[in-house]
Amino acid sequence: MSEEKTTREGDGPVIDDVRRLRVMAAGVRGARIVERVLPAPLDAVWGVMGDLEGGFGEFQPDMRSVRVLRRDGDRVEALARSRHGLRARFHGVLRPGWCWLQSRFLVIGMAAVDEGGRTRVALTGGVRVPGRAALVPFGTRRELERAMARLAERVAGEPGMIRKTGPRRPAPRC
C-alpha cells in the first residue's frame, strides 16, 4: 500500500486518485474495486488506460471500440460499443491518472498513481441499477480482474518496460 499522502491545497486536503476512486466506489452500492501495483511507470500505464480510442479497448474485456465525441478540458463524451454489439454514450471526466465515465446503464472508474517508478492502478465499474446509485454486483469482480490482468500484459509489452523474466529454458531437442 502506498504511503499516506495528503497535502493542503486551497481549503482542504487533497487525496490521490486511487484513494478518490475508493471513495467514489464506496458511495455506489455493489461497486467492487480491483487494485494492483504494476512494475511500470505511470506515464506508460496511463498511456494505455487513458487512450479511450486505443489502449482502453485493448484491456477492457467487453469493449470493442470507443470513439470520443467531444472534449472540453477534462470533460469527455464518448460512444462505446461492446463486443456483443451494445452501445453506450458515456459522459465523465478524463485526466492523467483519473477517469470516471457514466452512461445510462454503465459506470467505469479508473485511477493510477506513481509509486516510485511503479504504478498503483485501481479499477471499478459495472452495470448500473436504473434510478439508484448502485451496480449489479454479479460477475463484476471477475471482469475487473480480467481487465487488470490484460492491462498488466499490455503494459508489459510496451518498449522500455520493466519485465520480470525467469530462468531461460533450453530449446527442445528434436
Side-chain angles (χ1 to χ4, degrees), residues 91-115:
H91 299 272
V93 176
L94 175 66
R95 62 176 176 262
W98 176 259
C99 180
W100 186 269
L101 300 172
Q102 296 185 126
S103 76
R104 185 172 172 203
F105 296 109
L106 298 171
V107 172
I108 295 172
M110 306 185 296
V113 296
D114 177 68
E115 287 206 350

Side-chain angles (χ1 to χ4, degrees), residues 35 37 56 66 73 76 78 89 92 94 112 142:
E35 199 170 314
V37 176
F56 176 76
V66 178
V76 65
R89 183 177 294 266
L94 175 66
R142 183 182 67 239

Side-chain angles (χ1 to χ4, degrees), residues 23-32 100 102 107 128 132-135:
V23 170
M24 294 286 286
V28 179
R29 189 175 187 183
R32 308 288 187 259
W100 186 269
Q102 296 185 126
V107 172
R128 293 176 71 175
R132 297 179 56 197
L135 297 179

Side-chain angles (χ1 to χ4, degrees), residues 9-26:
E9 188 175 286
D11 294 330
V14 176
I15 62 174
D16 71 34
D17 288 328
V18 168
R19 285 186 177 85
R20 179 176 291 111
L21 189 68
R22 290 183 203 141
V23 170
M24 294 286 286

Side-chain angles (χ1 to χ4, degrees), residues 3 69 152:
E3 178 181 307
L69 303 173

